[in-house]
Amino acid sequence: MTRLQRTRTRFGRWGSGSTFALLVAVDLGLFWAMQAGDTWVPFSGYVLVAVLAGLFLAPRVLAFVDALVLVTAALTLVDRGASAPYYGAYTVLVIVMVIMFWVAASRARLGVQGNLGETMLVDLRDRLRTQGELPAMPEGWGAELSVLSAYGDSFSGDFLVTSKTDQILELALVDVSGKGIAAGTRSLLLSGAFGGLLGSLPHEQFLAAANSYLLRQHWDEGFASAAHAWINLASGEYSLASAGHPPAVRFSAGSGRWKVLEGDEGPVLGVTDEVGFPRVRGTLQRGDALLLYTDGVIEVRNRDLRDGIDRMLGTAEQMIGRGFEGMAAKMCAAARAGETDDRAAVLVWRR
């Protein structure tokens, strides 16, 4: 380990030395100013020091700064007269310290401090979104993805992973148990793992491999549903398989109708081993489209999923006259579940 790495480790453990020194100086400066009788210096300045210390210092050094602030604030309270307003301000100071220490301890459990925790979460969110970006489609093809998380959270239990090699496109739309932030960490882990599997083994084996991976995690809520699509962009041939996921839907330009691609499906991932995932095959002609979606798009409380599918198809029928662009986003936005559930839809069409 280099000297720089040792220094970073030491500061990572005790907090930034410069921040620590600055806050101690500010606290002592407040104390001396108040002892000198400068009435323009507010007692609430101690609260500001406590908040900044909680944001930028590690718990152990934060405890030292908080103790120093409490002592100097108590001496100031005695010096200015123990009146009710000052007692109230001191109580608020103690409450703020407890809250900020809890925040700092939570960050320390993650091995981060200061605003690094928020930076890390933003980076993880962006990585999850990047992994689900659709690749550039060749001439004659189009694709669109829409993912909306429950209650507008940054993380979603629904995600997409893709792989495109030569003229082969593979898509896996996954719905992790739970919703929003609660499922976000598992979504991130699974998106990385499934993204590594996708395209690296024969497409018929993808769901079986994903199922084995989930079983090895031994999560209490480790199950997930998934729809996997393999599309040959040269011929239009496709192959679909489902693991406890709502059935895919195909639009046929010849009939001008949407059709649910019924077929046998495997169980959800992460529940049982040695299971099969039957596949549905067909060919997309010019003007045809293939739609994959999660249950948040069709699920309605106290109603059968078939009713939700019929409603979704009715919405799609109304939109088809305007083309496929924007359709996935409109379907997610029009879902009856609204913001109470994660929603995702991916649409691939042949021009």
Side-chain angles (χ1 to χ4, degrees):
M1 181 181 289
T2 66
R3 180 177 299 178
L4 177 61
Q5 290 173 326
R6 287 195 296 270
T7 303
R8 285 179 175 175
T9 300
R10 189 177 302 113
F11 281 154
R13 187 176 300 141
W14 289 96
S16 170
S18 58
T19 303
F20 168 72
L22 177 62
L23 291 174
V24 169
V26 171
D27 176 68
L28 295 177
L30 286 171
F31 174 68
W32 288 327
M34 292 182 186
Q35 292 295 312
D38 290 336
T39 57
W40 59 270
V41 180
F43 187 85
S44 58
Y46 289 119
V47 176
L48 178 61
V49 174
V51 170
L52 294 176
L55 289 176
F56 295 104
L57 297 179
R60 281 183 288 183
V61 72
L62 172 61
F64 174 82
V65 173
D66 282 351
L68 178 64
V69 172
L70 285 175
V71 170
T72 53
L75 293 176
T76 301
L77 186 147
V78 172
D79 179 69
R80 292 197 169 184
S83 60
Y86 281 104
Y87 274 126
Y90 195 83
T91 302
V92 170
L93 175 63
V94 173
I95 294 173
V96 169
M97 284 183 173
V98 171
I99 294 174
M100 297 311 300
F101 192 86
W102 175 79
V103 171
S106 298
R107 288 171 169 166
R109 286 197 296 269
L110 294 173
V112 297
Q113 65 184 61
N115 62 353
L116 293 178
E118 286 75 11
T119 302
M120 181 182 68
L121 288 174
V122 170
D123 182 60
L124 293 178
R125 180 201 64 193
D126 293 343
R127 287 177 183 271
L128 182 58
R129 291 178 177 175
T130 300
Q131 287 176 348
E133 288 182 354
L134 289 165
M137 300 296 285
E139 185 178 355
W141 288 88
E144 179 184 77
L145 168 69
S146 177
V147 178
L148 299 177
S149 59
Y151 306 109
D153 291 340
S154 296
F155 293 90
S156 173
D158 297 349
F159 66 89
L160 177 77
V161 288
T162 65
S163 172
K164 182 176 176 292
T165 55
D166 297 327
Q167 293 296 316
I168 301 300
L169 174 67
E170 285 192 65
L171 307 168
L173 185 61
V174 183
D175 183 357
V176 177
S177 56
K179 61 186 69 174
I181 294 177
T185 52
R186 279 174 288 156
S187 293
L188 182 68
L189 177 61
L190 291 183
S191 68
F194 289 1
L197 293 173
L198 204 66
S200 63
L201 72 170
H203 65 273
E204 297 91 346
Q205 301 176 18
F206 169 75
L207 288 179
N211 183 56
S212 297
Y213 176 83
L214 255 176
L215 286 171
R216 292 195 299 271
Q217 306 312 304
H218 302 293
W219 288 338
D220 293 335
E221 290 185 86
F223 64 91
S225 69
H228 175 248
W230 175 93
I231 305 173
N232 187 321
L233 299 177
S235 64
E237 294 178 78
Y238 64 82
S239 175
L240 302 170
S242 173
H245 208 79
V249 175
R250 174 186 173 180
F251 176 78
S252 175
S255 64
R257 305 288 295 179
W258 292 89
K259 180 183 177 181
V260 178
L261 299 177
E262 303 282 5
D264 295 334
E265 65 177 37
V268 294
L269 304 176
V271 174
T272 182
D273 201 1
E274 298 182 358
V275 295
F277 299 94
R279 304 192 73 87
V280 176
R281 292 175 171 81
T283 302
L284 292 176
Q285 305 295 339
R286 294 189 180 277
D288 292 357
L290 199 61
L291 173 67
L292 306 179
Y293 53 93
T294 59
D295 59 7
V297 178
I298 60 173
E299 200 169 41
V300 181
R301 182 173 295 182
N302 301 324
R303 299 288 294 273
D304 188 83
L305 285 182
R306 175 59 63 178
D307 294 335
I309 293 176
D310 291 341
R311 182 177 182 275
M312 180 190 69
L313 294 182
T315 302
E317 292 281 358
Q318 297 173 8
M319 296 178 182
I320 196 62
R322 307 186 191 96
F324 296 113
E325 287 85 357
M327 185 176 291
K330 291 177 181 177
M331 284 184 175
C332 290
R336 283 283 180 87
E339 292 193 351
T340 62
D341 200 359
D342 298 324
R343 294 140 287 155
V346 58
L347 185 66
V348 180
W349 65 90
R350 191 173 186 184
R351 303 181 195 278

